Amino acid sequence: MPDRGGGPTGPRIRVGRPSRRARTLLMTLGVVAVLAMLFVMFSGFWTDWLWYRSVQYSSVFTTTLWTKIGMFAVFGLLMALAVGFNIWLAHRMRPPLSAMSLEQQSLDRYRMGVAPYKKWVLLGVAALVGLIAGASASGQWRTWLMWVNGVPFGEKDPQFRMDVAFYAFDLPWYRFLLGFGFAAAVLSLIAAALTHYLYGGLRVTSPGARATAAATGHLSVLLGVFVSLKAVAYWLDRYGLAVKSSDFKAAGNWTGLRFVDANAYLPAKTILFCIAVICALLFFATLWRRTWQLPVIGFGLMVLSAILIGGLYPAIVQKFQVDPNEQAKEAPYIAKNIEATRKAYAIDDTKPENYSGEQTGKSNEQIRKDADEAASYRLLDPNIVSPTFQQLEQKRKYYQFPMTLDVDRYDGKDTVVGLRELNIRGIPKRNWINDHFTYTHGYGAIMAAGTAVDRTGAPVFTEKGLPTTGELGTYQQRIYYGEKTEQYSIVGGPQKELDYEANGEKTTSFEGKSGVSLGNAFNRAAYAVAFSEPQILYSGAIGEGSRILYNRTPKERVEAVAPWLTIDGDAYPAVVDGRIQWIVDAYTTTNGYPYASRTTLGDTTTDSLTAGNQTRAVVAQQNQVNYIRNSVKATVDAYDGSVKLYQWDTKDPVLKTWMKAFPGTVLPKAEIKGELKEHLRYPQDMFKVQRELLTRYHVLDPAQFYSGSDAWQVPADPTNKEGNAVPPYYLSMKMPGDTQQRFSLTTTFTPNGRPNLGGFMAVDADATSEDYGKIRLLRVTSDVPGPAQVQSKLNSLPDVATFVRDLKGADSEIQYGNLLTVPLDGGFLYVEPVYAQGRSALYPLLKKVAVSYVEANPKEGESAKETTVFENSLGEALNAVFGVDGETPTTPPPGDQPTEPTQPPATGDAALQQAIADAQKAYAAGEAALQKGDWTAYGKAQQDLADALRRAAEADAQRETPDQPAQQDQPGGSAEQDGGDGS
C-alpha cells in the first residue's frame, strides 16, 4: 500500500496551540470587538455632549455629569468600604479551628473552595454592592444640588418654626443619607454574619456557645449602628409630620399636622427617639459585657414601645378625643393648612367676591350695547377649526397643523394661530434621502381673526398662503423646530432641501448654527451608532457643512437644557422680531412645603382637550407637588432651535436655588424684549392647578371648610361626551368693575354635586399688564344655570332640532364650539359658536351662534330669567336674546361683520355645479402633477382647488331650499361638498 503520510515516515501532525498567525488574528478580533463595544457605549455619551454644546448649554451637561459621577463614586466607595471592611474584619476575627463538629465539617469544603480566592471574593462582593449603591445614589443628583445650593424661603412653618427651605431642600437630603446608612448597616450586618458563620464565629447546631466573643462584639456594634440610625429616623419623623400626606375625610388629600399628630404622634416620636438611643448604647456596651441579654431586652422594649406608643396611643387619642368633636379639635390645623396651601399655589391674594347680580335698572337696549363691549367673543374655536386650516391652508400633503391651535394677540386682537409644520407621513415618495434630507422643515405661520368668519363660515385669514402673506410682513418662515417635528434631519451639506418662494418651489440649504456637525468621520460614526442608521457613516449626501438636527420639539429642548423644570403641556408660537419663536412656560415645583396639600399634576391638568393627547401632557419632574411657580419663560427659535430661559418670578427661592446650581443658564427678566413680552401669557396648566385647589380653598373659614358646604367642582365639558373637565379659555373680556377689556384666562365652577353655576374665575393673562396674574373669583349667590344646563337648554330648542335634522339630511354633522361665559350687568352671558362639518368636505364651518343670557338675581318671588336663542350670526343672536330690533348697534359686535371673499359670491345651482366641477378638475390635475413630480403644477392645482371649494360653499349658502331660505348675512354653505383632502 502506498504511504499516505499517516505512518511513521509521514509528516507529524502537531495538535495543540494554534499558529502565531491564528493567535494574532484571534487577538486582533478580540481587541476590535472590545473596542466596538466600548465605542457603542461611548457614542451615547459623546452625542449628548455634542448636542449640549451645539445649544450652548454644555454647563448643564457637565454639571449634571460631574454631580452624578461624584455621587456614584462617593457613595459607591462608601458602601464598598463598609461592606468590605466588615467582611475583612469578620474574617480576621475568625476562631482557630479545633475539633470539628458535623456543622463545621460540612462548611469546611466551602472554606477550602474559597481559600485560594479570598481576596478576589472580597473585592468582588465589595465592588458589586458599591456599583449598585453608586448607581442608586447618582439618581439623587437633584437632591444633592438642592441641598448644597438651597436658598431660604423667608417663611417658617407654624409648628417647628423652621424655614420652609429645611423641608424643601434639607429634609430630602437627610432622608437620603439616612436611607443609605440603613442600607449600609443591613448589608454589612448580613455580610459579617455570613462570614462569621462560614469561619466558625457563629454556630447554629454545634454544642457550646453559639457565638464567639469577637463575633458577638462585632455584630452588636453593627446592630447598635442600625438602632442609632433608627433613633435619627424617629427624630426626623417629627419634622416629617409637617409634610406628611394623609386622607382626611373633611379635606380629601391632606398635608401637615392634625390634632392627633401634634398631640400623640409628635410626643410618641420623641419618646421613641430616647428609647432608641438607650437601646443603641446597650448594644455598644456588649463590647465590654460580652452578653446580648440587655441589648435584646432593650430592642424588645423599643419594638413594644413602637407598637403601643407609636400606634395604639394615637389611635386612642383619635377615637376618644378627636372623633367626638372633630370640627373643633381640627379647626386650628385646618386654618394652618388653608393658609399654607394658598401661599404654596400663589392663590393667597384671591378672595371670593359675591356676585349677587343686583338689578342695574338698565333697559334691554342699554344691556345690548354693554354686551358689545363686555368681551371680544371668540367665534373661532381653536379646538375645532384645525381641519379647516388643514383643508384651506395645508397647500401640500406633507404639511400639517396641530389638532388644537393657539390663541394669541396681534395688534391687540385675539388671533388663532397655527404653524404649517412638516408631516413626514405625507411625503409622496418615502425613502431615507427624502425623509431626512429633502423634506426638512415646515413653512409659515397661518393666522385668522378670532372674532370673525367670512360668509361661508370659514376663518378670515390675516396671514395665509405659501409663502405666507398678510399683516406680519417679512419674517423667517422656515420651521425646522416644532411640536410635530420629531424625526432627525441632516441639512447644510451637498444635498439640497425643498423650499418655496413667491413664484413656486425652489431648493435651499440650512444656514443656522444649530445642530451638530457631521464634518468628521468620528461624529458620523457616533451618530450612525446612536441612531442605528449605518448610512450616516458612508452616505455621499453628507459632506462638508452637513449638520444633524434632532430633539426638535420645543418641550424636548427646554426639558433637556433645564432638567430641573416642569414643562407646561402647551407650547405656543409667536412671530417676534421677524422670527417665529416657540414660547414655553416652565415651573419650579417641590413636594416639601409644610402644611400645603399636594396635588397630582397629571390628573389636575387633564381636561377634555388633553385627555389622551400626549403632546399636551405636562412633562413633570415631580408629578405630585404642593408648591408651584411659573418661574421661567422659555423661547425656542423655530428656525435655528436656539433656546433661551428667562427668569420670570424673581422671588421664587426654588428658582434661585437652581440658578445657583446652574449659573448663567437663566437670563434675567430685564432681558425680555418688549415685543416678546406682548405675546407672553398666563399658562394654562398653572391656571388649571390653581382652579382645582380653589374648588376647596376659596373657603377661608375652617368650620365651613370642614363641612364642605361651599365646595365646588370643575364642571365637565358640555360639548364633549367623554366627561372630562371643561378646559379654560383665553378671552379678552371685562370683569365686573373693569373699564376695559383684559386678555384673560377664564373658567367656571359648579357646586359640588350640582349642575348650576357656583363660581367664575378669571386671571389677567396679559404679561404687559400691571395686574398680570391677578385672579378674580366670583361666587355666584343666585341660582344660575351652569354650562351643562345651558347646553341642555340649547339642545332642546326647536330651531336646533330642525338645524340638526337638516344637517343629517345633508350628510353633515354638528359640532359645538367653546361655550364662553361672560359676566354682564348682574347676570351671565353664554356664547357658543356652532359648526357644521360635511362627511365629504371634512372640515367644519361656522353656521350658527347660540347665546343665552341669565339674570343672576331676579325680582323677589320670580325665578331666574333665562333666554336662549339660536341665530345665524352673533349680532342677530345678541339682538334676539335681549329682545331688541335688528338695527345695527352703535358699536358693531366683534365677529358680526363678515369679510367679503376674494371671489365675488356666485348664486344658483348652476354656479354650485360649476364650482364642484372645477374642484374635481383641480383635484385630478393635482394628482397628475403629483405622479409626475411637477411641484409647480401641483401647487397651482391646490390653489385652484381651494378657490373652487370656496365658491362652492358660497353658492350653496345662497341657494334657497324648502327648509331654510337664503339670507344675505347668514353664514352660508353646508360643509358636505366634495373638495378632496387638499392633497
Side-chain angles (χ1 to χ4, degrees), residues 481-494:
Y481 295 86
E483 289 183 301
K484 299 291 185 179
T485 313
E486 298 177 348
Q487 74 284 353
Y488 70 89
S489 290
I490 299 176
V491 298

Side-chain angles (χ1 to χ4, degrees), residues 739-956:
T739 57
Q740 60 182 5
Q741 294 182 10
R742 301 173 184 264
F743 185 68
S744 305
L745 189 56
T746 67
T747 192
T748 54
F749 298 102
T750 57
N752 205 4
R754 295 193 60 201
N756 57 292
L757 195 64
F760 180 82
M761 173 180 172
V763 63
D764 190 333
D766 184 355
T768 63
S769 170
E770 294 182 357
D771 291 328
Y772 170 84
K774 180 180 179 181
I775 297 175
R776 295 279 305 276
L777 186 62
L778 305 182
R779 177 191 280 115
V780 181
T781 58
S782 299
D783 189 12
V784 176
Q789 292 173 307
V790 171
Q791 188 68 47
S792 177
K793 176 70 175 295
L794 172 64
N795 293 340
S796 67
L797 293 178
D799 290 347
V800 175
T802 302
F803 180 72
V804 172
R805 185 184 68 243
D806 292 344
L807 285 180
K808 290 182 177 179
D811 199 24
S812 298
E813 295 180 350
I814 189 172
Q815 288 193 40
Y816 293 106
N818 38 219
L819 181 58
L820 305 176
T821 307
V822 178
L824 175 64
D825 283 326
F828 281 95
L829 185 69
Y830 290 94
V831 177
E832 182 175 34
V834 180
Y835 296 81
Q837 177 170 333
R839 297 184 184 276
S840 54
L842 298 179
Y843 65 95
L845 296 171
L846 181 68
K847 294 299 179 182
K848 294 280 188 176
V849 178
V851 172
S852 180
Y853 181 67
V854 184
E855 293 181 9
N857 189 20
K859 296 179 181 179
E860 185 176 355
E862 297 181 1
S863 59
K865 182 181 179 182
E866 177 188 358
T867 306
T868 302
V869 299
F870 187 65
E871 300 293 340
N872 295 325
S873 68
L874 177 62
E876 294 179 20
L878 290 174
N879 288 338
V881 81
F882 293 112
V884 301
D885 58 34
E887 295 179 1
T888 304
T890 305
T891 305
D896 200 38
Q897 294 182 340
T899 300
E900 292 291 342
T902 303
Q903 177 76 18
T907 59
D909 290 340
L912 176 61
Q913 296 300 324
Q914 182 61 48
I916 294 174
D918 291 344
Q920 293 172 338
K921 181 178 178 181
Y923 179 77
E927 290 296 302
L930 190 63
Q931 295 294 327
K932 297 178 182 178
D934 187 346
W935 300 113
T936 302
Y938 180 79
K940 184 177 184 306
Q942 295 305 299
Q943 293 177 354
D944 293 342
L945 176 60
D947 178 70
L949 289 173
R950 187 181 67 250
R951 287 189 285 114
E954 293 169 8
D956 186 43

Side-chain angles (χ1 to χ4, degrees), residues 79-213:
M79 183 65 77
L81 288 175
V83 175
F85 172 75
N86 281 283
I87 293 175
W88 172 83
L89 188 61
H91 177 265
R92 186 182 179 90
M93 291 178 174
R94 68 190 185 279
L97 298 178
S98 54
M100 302 291 288
S101 65
L102 291 176
E103 180 183 18
Q104 292 301 312
Q105 288 177 9
S106 65
L107 291 174
D108 190 52
R109 63 176 181 269
Y110 294 107
R111 288 193 287 264
M112 294 180 62
V114 171
Y117 311 104
K118 286 190 294 187
K119 291 184 178 179
W120 293 109
V121 170
L122 175 61
L123 292 174
V125 171
L128 179 62
V129 296
L131 287 173
I132 295 173
S136 176
S138 65
Q140 297 293 324
W141 63 271
R142 291 184 179 88
T143 307
W144 158 260
L145 288 176
M146 293 183 77
W147 178 68
V148 77
N149 296 287
V151 173
F153 274 66
E155 302 171 12
K156 297 183 183 297
D157 78 282
Q159 180 68 40
F160 302 101
R161 308 307 298 169
M162 302 286 287
D163 191 276
V164 173
F166 170 79
Y167 301 94
F169 306 140
D170 299 344
L171 191 59
W173 176 250
Y174 298 151
R175 282 176 164 168
F176 163 71
L177 292 179
L178 188 62
F180 178 84
F182 273 124
V186 170
L187 289 175
S188 297
L189 182 63
I190 293 173
L194 289 175
T195 305
H196 280 300
Y197 177 70
L198 181 63
Y199 287 96
L202 291 178
R203 302 179 181 90
V204 178
T205 61
S206 301
R210 298 298 184 192
T212 64

Side-chain angles (χ1 to χ4, degrees), residues 499-699:
D499 200 60
Y500 299 93
E501 58 185 0
N503 297 326
E505 294 179 8
K506 66 170 185 176
T507 58
T508 190
S509 187
F510 180 70
E511 297 178 354
K513 296 181 180 180
S514 65
V516 178
S517 172
L518 297 179
N520 62 72
F522 187 83
N523 286 0
R524 293 174 66 172
Y527 278 101
V529 171
F531 289 170
S532 302
E533 182 49 73
Q535 293 188 78
I536 295 177
L537 180 60
Y538 56 76
S539 173
I542 302 175
E544 185 67 28
S546 292
R547 309 180 72 84
I548 185 168
L549 312 180
Y550 62 105
N551 287 354
R552 298 170 71 181
T553 68
K555 289 196 290 186
E556 273 183 322
R557 296 180 78 78
V558 175
E559 186 186 24
V561 303
W564 34 273
L565 289 174
T566 294
I567 311 302
D568 189 90
D570 183 28
Y572 60 97
V575 179
V576 180
D577 292 330
R579 311 276 289 196
I580 299 175
Q581 299 283 350
W582 287 100
I583 300 175
V584 183
D585 285 287
Y587 310 107
T588 48
T589 61
T590 180
N591 58 10
Y593 197 100
Y595 273 100
S597 291
R598 291 188 172 96
T599 187
T600 303
L601 289 180
D603 297 336
T604 304
T605 58
T606 298
D607 57 31
S608 61
L609 300 180
T610 62
N613 185 353
Q614 292 301 316
T615 62
R616 295 291 297 272
V618 176
V619 183
Q621 295 299 335
Q622 294 174 307
N623 193 34
Q624 197 171 65
V625 303
N626 67 353
Y627 172 93
I628 186 170
R629 290 292 185 272
N630 176 214
S631 53
V632 172
K633 301 284 190 180
T635 62
V636 178
D637 192 289
Y639 180 75
D640 63 19
S642 57
V643 182
K644 292 183 179 180
L645 308 176
Y646 296 99
Q647 182 183 17
W648 185 249
D649 189 333
T650 57
K651 298 180 180 179
D652 178 28
V654 181
L655 177 60
K656 291 178 180 178
T657 296
W658 287 118
M659 290 174 69
K660 281 182 63 179
F662 296 94
T665 57
V666 180
L667 301 175
K669 186 175 183 178
E671 293 196 22
I672 300 178
K673 295 182 179 179
E675 187 173 350
L676 172 60
K677 195 172 184 179
E678 291 176 359
H679 295 280
L680 300 182
R681 67 189 191 188
Y682 201 83
Q684 293 186 64
D685 286 333
M686 178 79 174
F687 185 78
K688 285 188 277 189
V689 169
Q690 290 174 320
R691 76 170 178 178
E692 180 66 28
L693 268 297
L694 282 170
T695 59
R696 291 178 293 145
Y697 287 92
H698 69 279
V699 177

Side-chain angles (χ1 to χ4, degrees), residues 167-489:
Y167 301 94
F169 306 140
D170 299 344
L171 191 59
W173 176 250
Y174 298 151
R175 282 176 164 168
F176 163 71
L177 292 179
L178 188 62
F180 178 84
F182 273 124
V186 170
L187 289 175
S188 297
L189 182 63
I190 293 173
L194 289 175
T195 305
H196 280 300
Y197 177 70
L198 181 63
Y199 287 96
L202 291 178
R203 302 179 181 90
V204 178
T205 61
S206 301
R210 298 298 184 192
T212 64
T216 299
H218 185 195
L219 297 180
S220 294
V221 170
L222 290 176
L223 287 170
V225 171
F226 178 85
V227 177
S228 297
L229 292 172
K230 187 61 180 175
V232 176
Y234 281 133
W235 188 257
L236 288 181
D237 284 347
R238 298 169 68 254
Y239 299 104
L241 292 173
V243 290
K244 183 193 72 171
S245 287
S246 60
D247 186 20
F248 186 20
K249 60 183 179 182
N253 184 17
W254 173 274
T255 300
L257 285 85
R258 291 158 52 191
F259 181 90
V260 69
D261 297 311
N263 296 275
Y265 281 111
L266 186 56
K269 296 292 183 183
T270 305
I271 295 171
L272 290 172
F273 164 76
C274 297
I275 294 174
V277 170
I278 296 172
C279 186
L281 293 175
L282 292 176
F283 274 109
F284 291 134
T286 56
L287 287 172
W288 296 275
R289 293 180 57 84
R290 302 296 182 182
T291 176
W292 283 8
Q293 183 177 7
L294 287 178
V296 170
I297 293 174
F299 188 78
L301 176 63
M302 187 179 73
V303 173
L304 183 62
S305 300
I307 296 173
L308 296 178
I309 302 175
L312 184 59
Y313 175 61
I316 293 173
V317 171
Q318 178 69 32
K319 179 70 174 176
F320 294 101
Q321 291 193 44
V322 178
D323 289 350
N325 192 17
E326 187 175 49
Q327 178 176 320
K329 294 291 187 182
E330 300 290 9
Y333 304 96
I334 292 176
K336 295 174 184 178
N337 176 268
I338 292 173
E339 182 182 3
T341 302
R342 289 170 62 85
K343 282 184 179 179
Y345 292 95
I347 55 177
D348 49 321
D349 291 332
T350 303
K351 302 292 192 298
E353 308 168 28
N354 287 336
Y355 188 69
S356 59
E358 295 181 0
Q359 295 295 315
T360 61
K362 292 184 179 180
S363 65
N364 286 352
E365 288 77 9
Q366 290 174 313
I367 300 178
R368 169 66 179 88
K369 184 179 179 181
D370 290 345
D372 294 336
E373 302 172 355
S376 296
Y377 305 98
R378 183 167 39 74
L379 300 180
L380 208 61
D381 187 347
N383 311 306
I384 288 183
V385 298
S386 179
T388 309
F389 273 53
Q390 188 85 358
Q391 183 72 31
L392 301 179
E393 287 296 328
Q394 179 189 25
K395 302 302 183 184
R396 300 290 188 273
K397 193 174 183 180
Y398 43 82
Y399 289 136
Q400 63 181 328
F401 292 94
M403 286 305 298
T404 298
L405 305 178
D406 290 291
V407 177
D408 202 348
R409 293 143 297 148
Y410 288 86
D411 295 329
K413 300 176 182 178
D414 293 359
T415 304
V416 177
V417 183
L419 295 193
R420 188 190 284 123
E421 294 190 46
L422 181 66
N423 177 16
I424 194 171
R425 291 178 296 276
I427 295 176
K429 186 176 182 181
R430 298 289 303 275
N431 54 55
W432 188 64
I433 293 294
N434 278 347
D435 286 0
H436 300 288
F437 292 82
T438 304
Y439 297 89
T440 59
H441 57 278
Y443 212 97
I446 304 302
M447 301 184 181
T451 58
V453 295
D454 67 17
R455 294 189 183 278
T456 70
V460 176
F461 291 105
T462 58
E463 191 75 20
K464 62 180 181 178
L466 182 65
T468 68
T469 57
E471 296 179 355
L472 293 180
T474 302
Y475 66 100
Q476 175 56 263
Q477 299 191 19
R478 298 174 184 86
I479 303 166
Y480 284 88
Y481 295 86
E483 289 183 301
K484 299 291 185 179
T485 313
E486 298 177 348
Q487 74 284 353
Y488 70 89
S489 290

